[in-house]
Amino acid sequence: MIATLPRAGVLTTVAAVAVSATLLRGQQAPVGYDDTPMQPDGKWRVHDIKRPRPPVVSPGPLTPVAPPSDALVLLGPGNDLSKWQATDGSPASWLMSGGVLETGKGIIRTRAEFADIQLHVEFATPTEVKGNSQERGNSGVFLAGVFEIQVLDSFDNLTYADGQAAAMFNGAELVAPAVVTVFHNGVLVHNARPFWGPTAHRRIAPYIPATARGPVRLQDHGNPVRYRNIWLREL
């Protein structure tokens, strides 16, 4: 499974970035834990407060990326949400205007399910900066319905290292686990990394082989995160 998120924050204005830098100078220590299970590689605990955060890498110019000719467009320039639904099967109720979708109540998912894909997502965290750590511009893109790639306003935001934007949030017999390669703002942040199990908070969930195929899900975390130009290619 391959996921590509190369244009995170393309809708965010320069003014918003300047404001966020000002507001966060006095931010408190990051939320984190020292009582969670060790990750399978034995290096750090889940959401470990002591784990070093990744270095800041400045991306190149952020511009929309048009879908290739064989792509399935899940979110295009219009206001069509027909490829999405709520988790109970009812129509997706998030508001969409001018091709931009804003998070609403509850998680939405694609009607179709997929296995190996290349996925492109453009997102923007709120222009007005509110909250700290995991309460700032939090959302998520779930692959196969269970493996989360984190969406977060990470700019000058002190939070645990495995909760930053583009982080991989994390039994039975298994041939091989799902593997992900992620580009965040055009910068490679995960190269063919396996998932340890479905996304869970403060723990490692057991791997379920049946999750090799599933929908793309977008998470509501109580923050008005915006999405546009979502497309995928089945591999």
Side-chain angles (χ1 to χ4, degrees):
M1 181 177 291
I2 299 177
T4 308
L5 291 85
R7 297 290 178 237
V10 295
L11 304 181
T12 304
T13 64
V14 174
V17 172
V19 170
S20 65
T22 301
L23 291 176
L24 290 171
R25 287 182 184 134
Q27 189 184 51
Q28 300 298 312
V31 173
Y33 305 97
D34 58 9
D35 60 348
T36 51
M38 295 296 295
Q39 295 178 345
D41 59 12
K43 295 181 179 179
W44 303 101
R45 296 182 180 277
V46 176
H47 309 331
D48 199 326
I49 194 172
K50 298 177 182 177
R51 183 173 180 172
R53 286 174 290 278
V56 175
V57 177
S58 298
L62 302 180
T63 56
V65 176
S69 61
D70 64 346
L72 172 63
V73 177
L74 299 174
L75 206 63
N79 296 323
D80 182 10
L81 277 176
S82 62
K83 294 183 176 66
W84 299 85
Q85 65 181 29
T87 53
D88 63 2
S90 62
S93 62
W94 292 9
L95 296 179
M96 188 170 181
S97 177
V100 177
L101 177 68
E102 183 169 309
T103 54
K105 185 177 181 180
I107 291 172
I108 64 171
R109 51 153 288 176
T110 56
R111 294 183 181 277
E113 296 188 352
F114 311 96
D116 294 337
I117 59 172
Q118 173 189 351
L119 177 66
H120 173 91
V121 176
E122 295 176 6
F123 71 88
T125 54
T127 302
E128 182 181 358
V129 178
K130 292 183 178 180
N132 296 318
S133 191
Q134 295 297 299
E135 300 303 321
R136 233 183 78 184
N138 193 327
S139 182
V141 178
F142 284 76
L143 310 175
V146 295
F147 304 115
E148 183 183 8
I149 303 297
Q150 172 75 317
V151 169
L152 191 79
D153 179 2
S154 289
F155 184 74
D156 280 357
N157 184 13
L158 298 177
T159 191
Y160 41 81
D162 59 349
Q164 297 277 355
M168 294 167 59
F169 268 133
N170 304 336
E173 288 188 8
L174 171 74
V175 174
V179 172
V180 67
T181 294
V182 178
F183 288 84
H184 180 203
N185 284 344
V187 178
L188 180 67
V189 292
H190 300 296
N191 184 25
R193 290 281 305 277
F195 279 96
W196 290 323
T199 293
H201 181 60
R202 299 190 61 180
R203 64 188 181 92
I204 302 292
Y207 201 102
I208 304 172
T211 56
R213 187 176 187 87
V216 175
R217 298 200 308 165
L218 300 180
Q219 181 191 46
D220 162 39
H221 206 280
N223 300 144
V225 174
R226 292 160 289 160
Y227 290 94
R228 73 176 184 189
N229 194 21
I230 300 179
W231 50 262
L232 63 76
R233 298 175 62 245
E234 295 194 75
L235 305 179

